[in-house]
């Protein structure tokens, strides 16, 4: 017999309870009145909290209405070219290259981008999927907490994971800044919901393929769920094998299409940022000491792990399929956060789509521990403690949001690249003043490519340059300095006529070349600084032009 989920709501007197005959009318009236008042009060509190969360989300969306990540514009550039009939290329006339890891997200943007600009389409869809994530998180949380009660008597507790998600700056911002975060999270939450309601549904492997297309590591969630399920007795292993086979066939089909169309089995972005054993061990160490920037609060330290495990163990007793899918989702997010190189944003962009699933498990762990260590307390007392903890976590999330949206933070790196507003004006200047055949070497390619409509050469990461990623594969590092000997042939072949970098990067390049801002060389091509665009606190985007041949 599975363990009973503890009730955190006030004890209500059953209307069928025996009451002394002489007191029956009054007692019945008081009992029904008290019960009715409690139910109405609970529903009013839930409605008030839901409205407050909606208002907070609306306020956040309004505050960041004009903010987009520079990375998002890379995808927007591909989408615009697809809509224009040029194919999945970064610039018309160039060969197709998968310079993103979220091709499924971009495919979803294409139809809407026929009627509106890609940034507007991304903002609208991001908001829709955030709302969907909040709704699914609540349904899953409520189902998990009510697993054996049949009727909700948990008050506000089911909102715990939703509040953790909606007050997470990393989850909300990346979802509303043009990225695939909320879409991937919604797909994964749908898989959790479907595993709860209909674990044998063919929609699970299909949703797993969708997760793979939105972000490749997302496909691991379904495979882990199938593995966890296969190890349990009483499971239809034949159906699991059939679903795994379907999943693998579809993934293989898309991989073959990717190879035929792009000439590569994996996205070019994976090749441009290769992980290695050293980075893996370093990330693992940073995770253990709570400094892995790829993780999201409150899943930032090993102290969160016990709560996740307790929540998983508790849920596995009553809703094993739900627990397996939540566990598979959380484990995939943790593994990817440890595997991936630290993100340039210094934020948990990689783990953010997995936060809702992790929040449910973590919250179940918190509730379970309160039950264990306060067994003699009244339900109201246990509920109050849980609500206090919930509000404490929410306050930390809101404080983090206020700090990251502060004007000073936005004006400093990586803030001005995260919001991109200060990059738009320089990109428009480039469009209006540089010749149409200009080739601009830079490492910040999104906004510049989208608004300038000029050929961009990404010499550092090679996100859209397979020739650069091939060199990265040989040297095992990105190119901070274009003067690197490994770039000499490619630089002379591409022959960038302009160089655009932050002033400190330009100074580094000038110093490594042995020149001055008035004249320096990169692999035989001579440049001089011609203009600087202020883009942040004490930071300028500095443009250097090729000197005419004498």
């Amino acid at each position: 017999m599975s363990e009973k989920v503890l009730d955190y709501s006030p004890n209500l007197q059953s209307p069928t309870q025996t009451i002394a005959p002489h007191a029956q009318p009054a007692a019945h009236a008081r009992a029904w009145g008290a019960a009715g008042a409690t139910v109405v009060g609970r529903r009013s509190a839930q409605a008030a909290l839901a409205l407050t969360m909606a208002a907070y989300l609306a306020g956040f969306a309004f505050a960041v209405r004009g903010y987009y990540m520079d990375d998002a514009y890379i995808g927007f550039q591909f989408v615009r070219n697809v809509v224009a009939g040029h194919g999945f290329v970064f610039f018309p006339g160039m060969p197709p290259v998968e310079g993103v890891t979220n091709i499924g997200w971009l495919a979803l943007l294409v139809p809407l981008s026929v009627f509106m600009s890609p940034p507007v389409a991304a903002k609208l869809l991001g908001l829709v999927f955030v709302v969907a994530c909040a709704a699914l998180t609540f349904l899953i949380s409520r189902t998990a907490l009510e697993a054996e009660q049949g009727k909700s008597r948990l008050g506000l507790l089911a909102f715990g994971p939703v509040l953790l998600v909606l007050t997470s700056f990393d989850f909300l911002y990346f979802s509303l800044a043009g990225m695939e975060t909320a879409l991937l999270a919604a797909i994964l939450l749908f898989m959790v919901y479907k595993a709860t309601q209909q674990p044998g549904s063919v929609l699970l492997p299909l949703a797993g393929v969708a997760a793979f297309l939105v972000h490749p590591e997302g496909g691991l969630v379904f495979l882990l769920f199938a593995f966890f399920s296969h190890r349990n007795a009483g499971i239809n292993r034949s159906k699991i094998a059939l679903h795994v086979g379907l999943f693998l066939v579809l993934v293989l089909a898309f991989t073959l299409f990717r190879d035929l169309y792009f000439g590569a089995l994996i996205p070019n972005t994976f090749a441009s940022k290769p992980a290695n054993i050293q980075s893996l061990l370093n990330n693992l160490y940073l995770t253990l000491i709570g400094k892995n920037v790829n993780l999201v609060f409150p899943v930032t330290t090993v102290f969160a792990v016990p709560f996740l495990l307790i929540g998983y163990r508790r849920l596995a007793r009553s809703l094993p399929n739900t627990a397996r899918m939540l566990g598979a989702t959380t484990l995939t997010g943790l593994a990817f956060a440890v595997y991936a190189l630290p993100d340039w944003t210094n934020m948990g962009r990689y783990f953010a789509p997995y936060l809702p699933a992790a929040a449910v498990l973590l919250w179940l762990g918190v509730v379970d521990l309160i039950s264990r260590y306060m067994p003699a307390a009244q339900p109201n007392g246990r509920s109050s403690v849980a609500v206090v903890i919930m509000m404490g976590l929410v306050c930390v999330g809101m404080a983090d949001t206020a700090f990251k949206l502060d004007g000073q933070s936005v004006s400093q790196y990586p803030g001005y690249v995260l919001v991109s507003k200060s990059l738009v004006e320089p990109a428009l200047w480039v469009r209006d003043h540089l010749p149409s055949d200009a080739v601009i070497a830079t490492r910040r390619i999104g906004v510049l490519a989208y608004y300038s409509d000029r050929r961009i050469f990404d010499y550092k990461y090679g996100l859209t340059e397979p020739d650069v990623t091939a060199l990265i594969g040989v040297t095992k590092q990105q190119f901070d300095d274009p003067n690197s000997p490994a770039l000499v042939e490619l630089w002379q072949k591409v022959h960038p006529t302009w160089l655009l970098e932050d002033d400190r990067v330009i100074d580094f390049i000038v110093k490594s070349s042995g020149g001055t801002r008035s004249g320096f060389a990169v692999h035989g091509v001579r440049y001089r600084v011609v203009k600087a665009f202020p883009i942040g606190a004490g930071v300028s985007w500095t443009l250097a032009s090729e000197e005419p041949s004498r």
Side-chain angles (χ1 to χ4, degrees):
M1 185 69 180
S2 55
E3 184 177 346
K4 197 78 170 174
V5 177
L6 290 178
D7 179 13
Y8 288 86
S9 64
N11 289 323
L12 301 181
Q13 186 180 33
S14 171
T16 61
Q17 184 175 344
T18 301
I19 303 177
H22 64 276
Q24 279 188 8
H28 271 293
R30 287 194 299 270
W32 282 104
T38 302
V39 171
V40 171
R42 184 189 301 119
R43 289 177 178 174
S44 298
Q46 292 173 349
L49 183 56
L51 289 174
T52 301
M53 289 190 295
Y56 178 82
L57 175 58
F60 187 98
F62 181 80
V64 302
R65 62 193 181 280
Y67 292 177
Y68 295 91
M69 282 186 66
D70 186 65
D71 285 10
Y73 280 102
I74 300 175
F76 299 158
Q77 176 77 347
F78 281 110
V79 170
R80 183 168 63 179
N81 284 323
V82 171
V83 172
H86 301 302
F88 202 88
V89 296
F90 198 55
F91 282 98
M94 293 180 64
V97 56
E98 194 173 359
V100 294
T101 51
N102 57 0
I103 192 169
W105 166 240
L106 302 186
L108 195 62
L109 291 180
V110 168
L112 274 181
S113 298
V114 174
F115 307 100
M116 62 189 74
S117 70
V120 173
K123 189 73 77 173
L124 290 176
L125 279 182
L127 185 58
V128 168
F129 285 118
V130 166
V131 173
C133 285
L136 285 168
T137 302
F138 175 76
L139 289 175
I140 294 165
S141 172
R142 186 180 63 181
T143 301
L145 288 168
E146 298 174 353
E148 296 179 6
Q149 290 192 348
K151 181 180 179 181
S152 174
R153 299 178 66 186
L154 296 171
L156 301 178
L157 289 186
F159 286 93
V162 188
L163 286 169
L164 291 178
V165 170
L166 291 186
T167 54
S168 167
F169 176 86
D170 297 30
F171 176 81
L172 272 192
Y173 184 73
F174 292 122
S175 297
L176 299 177
M179 303 304 291
E180 74 284 351
T181 304
L183 171 60
L184 180 55
I187 293 172
L188 298 175
L189 288 169
F190 170 78
M191 293 172 69
V192 176
Y193 181 77
K194 202 63 182 176
T196 304
Q197 304 295 326
Q198 194 179 358
S201 173
V202 72
L203 291 178
L204 285 178
L206 295 180
V209 174
F212 166 77
L213 294 178
V214 174
H215 220 268
E217 87 287 346
L220 290 176
V221 173
F222 174 73
L223 292 178
L224 284 175
F225 171 74
F227 174 74
F228 293 157
S229 299
H230 187 270
R231 291 173 56 86
N232 286 269
I235 297 297
N236 188 337
R237 291 183 171 84
S238 297
K239 177 171 278 191
I240 292 176
L242 185 63
H243 285 180
V244 169
L246 174 63
F247 171 85
L248 293 177
V249 166
L250 292 175
V251 168
L252 177 61
F254 181 79
T255 301
L256 291 176
F257 169 79
R258 171 181 277 147
D259 189 43
L260 289 173
Y261 189 78
F262 297 114
L265 293 173
I266 61 174
N268 193 58
T269 48
F270 270 55
S272 68
K273 298 180 181 181
N276 52 56
I277 295 297
Q278 182 179 355
S279 66
L280 187 66
L281 293 175
N282 183 59
N283 271 0
L284 185 58
Y285 169 72
L286 292 175
T287 300
L288 293 175
I289 63 174
K291 293 186 178 181
N292 186 344
V293 297
N294 292 336
L295 291 172
V296 177
F297 177 83
V299 190
T300 49
T301 71
V302 292
F303 296 109
V305 174
F307 293 97
L308 294 172
L309 292 175
I310 292 170
Y312 177 86
R313 178 175 175 271
R314 179 60 177 266
L315 188 59
R317 297 172 182 172
S318 53
L319 295 173
N321 290 313
T322 308
R324 290 170 196 148
M325 191 64 83
L326 286 171
T329 304
T330 302
L331 186 59
T332 298
L334 289 172
F336 188 59
V338 172
Y339 161 81
L341 296 174
D343 190 38
W344 64 267
T345 64
N346 292 323
M347 296 179 190
R349 175 163 57 132
Y350 296 141
F351 187 79
Y354 304 92
L355 175 63
V360 173
L361 288 181
L362 187 143
W363 186 241
L364 290 175
V366 170
V367 169
D368 187 69
L369 282 180
I370 294 173
S371 304
R372 291 174 183 272
Y373 289 99
M374 297 182 63
Q378 291 295 318
N380 271 340
R382 294 195 294 268
S383 182
S384 297
V385 171
V387 169
V388 168
I389 294 174
M390 179 172 66
M391 289 298 102
L393 294 173
V394 165
C395 287
V396 172
M398 294 180 70
D400 181 58
T401 296
F403 171 77
K404 289 175 179 175
L405 282 181
D406 178 72
Q408 185 174 358
S409 297
V410 168
S411 68
Q412 297 176 347
Y413 183 84
Y416 55 83
V417 190
L418 273 168
V419 304
S420 298
K421 293 194 72 171
S422 64
L423 307 180
V424 174
E425 185 176 346
L428 293 175
W429 188 94
V430 167
R431 180 198 65 187
D432 296 337
H433 293 84
L434 267 58
S436 59
D437 61 349
V439 179
I440 309 169
T442 186
R443 67 188 63 195
R444 192 171 298 142
I445 67 175
V447 170
L448 186 61
Y450 187 81
Y451 285 106
S452 74
D453 200 26
R454 296 296 182 271
R455 166 77 163 92
I456 306 300
F457 176 54
D458 177 12
Y459 69 86
K460 179 176 173 63
Y461 297 109
L463 295 175
T464 56
E465 307 284 345
D467 290 338
V468 173
T469 55
L471 294 175
I472 290 174
V474 174
T475 61
K476 306 301 180 185
Q477 60 182 4
Q478 290 90 24
F479 299 107
D480 290 314
D481 185 357
N483 285 294
S484 170
L487 283 173
V488 58
E489 292 185 13
L490 185 57
W491 193 274
Q492 292 173 350
K493 174 185 174 182
V494 176
H495 198 105
T497 52
W498 301 81
L499 181 62
L500 182 60
E501 291 288 2
D502 287 3
D503 46 7
R504 61 176 182 81
V505 178
I506 285 288
D507 289 338
F508 173 76
I509 295 172
V510 168
K511 183 177 180 180
S512 70
S513 70
T516 66
R517 283 193 165 210
S518 299
F520 63 96
V522 178
H523 301 308
V525 183
R526 292 197 59 82
Y527 301 91
R528 62 184 178 87
V529 171
V530 295
K531 190 170 181 60
F533 307 93
I535 56 174
V539 181
S540 295
W541 219 3
T542 303
L543 180 67
S545 169
E546 180 186 13
E547 291 185 340
S549 301
R550 297 178 180 178

